[in-house]
Amino acid sequence: MKLLEDRIRKDGVVKEGNVLKVDSFLNHQMDVPFFYEMGKEFKRLFEGTPINKILTIEASGIGIAIIAGLHLNVPVVFAKKSQSSNISDQVYSTVIHSYTHNCDNNVVVSKQYLHADDHVLIIDDFLANGCALEGLIDLVHQANGTVEGIGIAVEKGFQEGGDRLRAKGYRVESLAIVDSMDAKTGEIVFRSSEA
Amino acid sequence: MKLLEDRIRKDGVVKEGNVLKVDSFLNHQMDVPFFYEMGKEFKRLFEGTPINKILTIEASGIGIAIIAGLHLNVPVVFAKKSQSSNISDQVYSTVIHSYTHNCDNNVVVSKQYLHADDHVLIIDDFLANGCALEGLIDLVHQANGTVEGIGIAVEKGFQEGGDRLRAKGYRVESLAIVDSMDAKTGEIVFRSSEA
């Protein structure tokens, strides 16, 4: 999505350690009219798929998921990071490793809100190593639901998550895929969407 | 807002200990078309106020804040709960006590996204004791910004937070105010919006 690539070039900040900061418009301050355009693109990409629900994870996935839900006219469920290791039998739970914070999080969804007849679009703001998405896929599978696709704002194409998920057969649509970036020059190379 | 009162009567579950569960449509599964109507009501209530930004707190405030931002055409900033007590000088920080989880959370906003010329609408899903809102107000004041108002989906009118904030001069608009509820009968009494 050229609009997102242009915005990342304009407002993204590349830092050492393969960090791409986009918190001025994507995951701390959220540019809502811009989100509206991203949601419209998710609708275009996934229209015709029998999606009846979006699943995301707190916190930074929620904004984009809500706007995608508005365009696709479906409810959004967000998985919660649980402080407690004492997980109730009322929830599906999985463990997601966070490389950012170097810790494991228990992540839960109430069994009331994921079912065998759900056709789920998973939405998140970032895809890098894919751990968060694999956790969300696991939650859908525990409910015997179907993952119809995965919608991402920014994929770090130089990390393995996206390609591993595609190799497993999931339809992953990332609105921008960063193939390389350089903290010294600030240069960002996007994967051509025609490739 | 009658639409929200009706929905709480239909889908809210009253539990012992003054707990009102509305996670089937408000703060775990989110009914997006319904959120659209709540956002429209926030626009009606706050139209004409010089709001240029919405501030909320992760995670369950984000969905409503995004939809309100869409209607009011302003960006949304969400305050983050910080795991670390080691707060950088790049952020405004405050401590919010959570009665639900019986702990104190450090909550931060980057100084880049709150300024002295900001006229802020604070949005959250719930208002009970008001601790979260007082933390958000503190963050706006640290930036020398102006709090134009506070928009809430569900206020527990039998707890003191809303009245205390109004007594301090803040304009608090809650789409539904629960004045009492009974876990045995499930009965919920709303404050008349004409009162």
Side-chain angles (χ1 to χ4, degrees):
Chain A
M1 188 191 186
K2 186 167 183 310
L3 194 70
L4 179 55
E5 294 179 2
D6 291 347
R7 187 64 180 269
I8 294 169
R9 280 214 178 84
K10 179 171 164 278
D11 292 328
V13 179
V14 183
K15 301 219 167 188
E16 292 295 342
N18 280 330
V19 173
L20 175 61
K21 280 184 75 77
V22 286
D23 59 5
S24 65
F25 64 96
L26 193 70
N27 50 16
H28 186 15
Q29 179 165 253
M30 301 180 287
D31 180 337
V32 182
F34 184 77
F35 275 37
Y36 191 82
E37 296 306 314
M38 289 197 293
K40 198 188 284 180
E41 180 67 1
F42 282 128
K43 175 171 180 173
R44 190 186 70 78
L45 289 164
F46 289 103
E47 207 160 27
T49 317
I51 292 162
N52 72 318
K53 188 170 286 180
I54 289 173
L55 178 66
T56 187
I57 182 167
E58 63 170 284
S60 51
I62 296 174
I64 301 166
I66 283 280
I67 297 289
L70 191 66
H71 282 285
L72 290 163
N73 200 33
V74 296
V76 171
V77 174
F78 68 91
K80 299 184 179 192
K81 292 168 188 163
S82 169
Q83 310 295 319
S84 160
S85 55
N86 184 11
I87 302 295
S88 97
D89 61 359
Q90 309 292 305
V91 298
Y92 299 114
S93 78
T94 194
V95 175
I96 295 178
H97 183 74
S98 164
Y99 285 92
T100 312
H101 299 108
N102 190 28
C103 65
D104 286 332
N105 284 305
N106 283 308
V107 172
V108 301
V109 168
S110 167
K111 289 183 180 175
Q112 290 182 273
Y113 309 127
L114 270 184
H115 304 116
D117 57 358
D118 277 333
H119 292 258
V120 179
L121 173 62
I122 296 174
I123 294 267
D124 207 359
D125 57 334
F126 256 92
L127 164 54
N129 53 62
C131 293
L133 293 174
E134 289 192 333
L136 295 175
I137 291 169
D138 180 33
L139 293 171
V140 176
H141 287 169
Q142 286 181 45
N144 296 311
T146 306
V147 175
E148 290 289 344
I150 298 169
I152 300 293
V154 184
E155 177 179 342
K156 288 175 167 174
F158 52 87
Q159 290 189 242
E160 79 286 2
D163 293 335
R164 194 176 66 245
L165 289 164
R166 290 183 186 97
K168 286 184 180 173
Y170 293 105
R171 179 177 171 197
V172 181
E173 298 283 359
S174 300
L175 302 186
I177 303 180
V178 176
D179 261 347
S180 69
M181 53 190 202
D182 187 323
K184 288 199 183 67
T185 63
E187 195 196 8
I188 300 171
V189 178
F190 292 99
R191 190 174 301 178
S192 161
S193 30
E194 283 75 42
Chain B
M1 187 192 188
K2 187 168 182 310
L3 195 68
L4 178 56
E5 294 178 1
D6 290 347
R7 186 65 180 267
I8 294 169
R9 279 214 178 84
K10 179 172 163 279
D11 292 328
V13 179
V14 183
K15 300 218 167 191
E16 292 294 342
N18 280 330
V19 173
L20 175 62
K21 280 184 76 76
V22 286
D23 59 5
S24 65
F25 64 97
L26 193 70
N27 49 16
H28 185 15
Q29 179 166 254
M30 301 182 286
D31 180 338
V32 182
F34 184 78
F35 275 38
Y36 192 81
E37 296 305 313
M38 290 197 293
K40 198 188 282 181
E41 180 67 2
F42 282 129
K43 177 172 180 173
R44 190 186 70 79
L45 289 164
F46 288 104
E47 207 159 28
T49 317
I51 292 161
N52 73 318
K53 189 170 284 179
I54 288 172
L55 178 66
T56 187
I57 181 167
E58 62 170 287
S60 51
I62 296 174
I64 301 166
I66 283 279
I67 298 288
L70 190 68
H71 283 285
L72 290 162
N73 199 34
V74 296
V76 172
V77 174
F78 67 91
K80 298 183 180 196
K81 293 167 189 164
S82 169
Q83 309 296 320
S84 161
S85 56
N86 185 11
I87 302 295
S88 98
D89 61 359
Q90 308 293 305
V91 298
Y92 299 113
S93 77
T94 194
V95 175
I96 295 179
H97 184 72
S98 164
Y99 284 91
T100 312
H101 299 107
N102 191 29
C103 64
D104 286 332
N105 283 305
N106 282 308
V107 172
V108 301
V109 168
S110 167
K111 289 182 179 174
Q112 291 182 272
Y113 309 127
L114 270 184
H115 304 117
D117 56 359
D118 276 333
H119 292 258
V120 179
L121 172 62
I122 294 173
I123 294 270
D124 207 358
D125 57 335
F126 255 91
L127 165 53
N129 54 62
C131 293
L133 293 174
E134 290 191 333
L136 295 175
I137 291 168
D138 181 33
L139 292 172
V140 176
H141 286 169
Q142 286 182 44
N144 294 311
T146 307
V147 175
E148 289 291 343
I150 297 167
I152 299 294
V154 184
E155 177 178 342
K156 287 175 169 174
F158 52 87
Q159 291 188 242
E160 78 287 2
D163 293 336
R164 193 175 67 245
L165 289 164
R166 290 183 185 96
K168 287 183 179 175
Y170 293 104
R171 179 177 170 196
V172 181
E173 298 283 1
S174 300
L175 301 187
I177 303 180
V178 176
D179 261 346
S180 68
M181 52 191 203
D182 187 323
K184 288 201 184 65
T185 63
E187 195 195 9
I188 300 171
V189 178
F190 293 99
R191 189 173 302 178
S192 160
S193 30
E194 281 77 40

